[in-house]
Amino acid sequence: MDFVIHFAISKSLDKKKNFQHDIKFAKKLFKFCKKNKIKCYYISSISAFKKNKSFYSQLKNKIEEIASRKDVKIIKPGMVWSNSPKSWFGNINNIVNKCFFFIPLIGNGENHIYLVNINDFIESLFAILKKKRNKRFVIHHKDTFSFKDIIKKICIKNNKVYILIPVPLILIFFIFKFLYKIRILSSSTYDSIRSYKYAKKHKFTGYEIINTSKSFIKY
């Protein structure tokens, strides 16, 4: 075995047992790799940083700290998108499809989101495996997109007629939290919305930046 690439996490991170399980698993895996001299790579996220208080970001940050101590290389991709929406992108796609005509925006919907096409991400990942010097990488397309831009593209893709309604942050997070509490909204979707609140542009100091070719414009 030459490489181990770790990116798996539990679905319901709001459950303490799942959160702690993922941390313990990462510790064991990194220790195993170091002991057996296997190169290990941890897939984190651009959305994972200290000021982001979502469950997802907190978990990724904690595992990044462990990875750094165990000489594990860290890779932070932007939001992964494809023609078969999954993960954060899939959650947003589901919300848009469930809305009828009127689609709520989180605030003005202008927060910056880094994106990367799934095929570009995989190609970049294999390229990183050949690199020997750097230990921290960022993968994304050079252009960021706003939440509003993403919603519009999803609507156009699905031939959906829409009107975007800006909703104040305080109000929309109250609504989503209520839907989450009564189990209409999944924990992962709720956490994705929480994470968006902290979305912004970054400087990526100390990281090798890999800019990908396929823009979200082509979705």
Side-chain angles (χ1 to χ4, degrees), residues 46 76 114 138 140 200-209:
I46 286 177
K76 296 169 79 79
Y114 292 86
V138 170
H140 65 85
K200 63 175 185 177
K201 282 199 170 184
H202 300 273
K203 292 183 178 179
F204 302 121
T205 304
Y207 288 83
E208 179 178 338
I209 300 172

Side-chain angles (χ1 to χ4, degrees), residues 36-63:
N36 291 280
K37 297 181 180 179
I38 300 169
K39 293 179 181 179
C40 188
Y41 297 77
Y42 176 58
I43 308 297
S44 184
S45 170
I46 286 177
S47 66
F49 53 94
K50 289 183 178 180
K51 290 185 178 180
N52 187 333
K53 302 303 179 183
S54 68
F55 298 127
Y56 179 82
S57 175
Q58 289 180 58
L59 176 67
K60 291 288 187 180
N61 282 325
K62 285 184 180 293
I63 297 179

Side-chain angles (χ1 to χ4, degrees), residues 1-6 25-42 65-73 135:
M1 189 186 298
D2 297 314
F3 306 102
V4 167
I5 301 171
H6 176 42
F25 178 82
K27 285 181 178 178
K28 289 181 179 179
L29 181 62
F30 298 159
K31 184 178 179 180
F32 170 83
C33 290
K34 190 171 185 178
K35 182 180 179 180
N36 291 280
K37 297 181 180 179
I38 300 169
K39 293 179 181 179
C40 188
Y41 297 77
Y42 176 58
E65 291 173 6
I66 300 165
S68 296
R69 294 196 298 268
K70 298 295 183 181
D71 200 32
V72 172
K73 295 187 178 184
K135 293 184 177 181

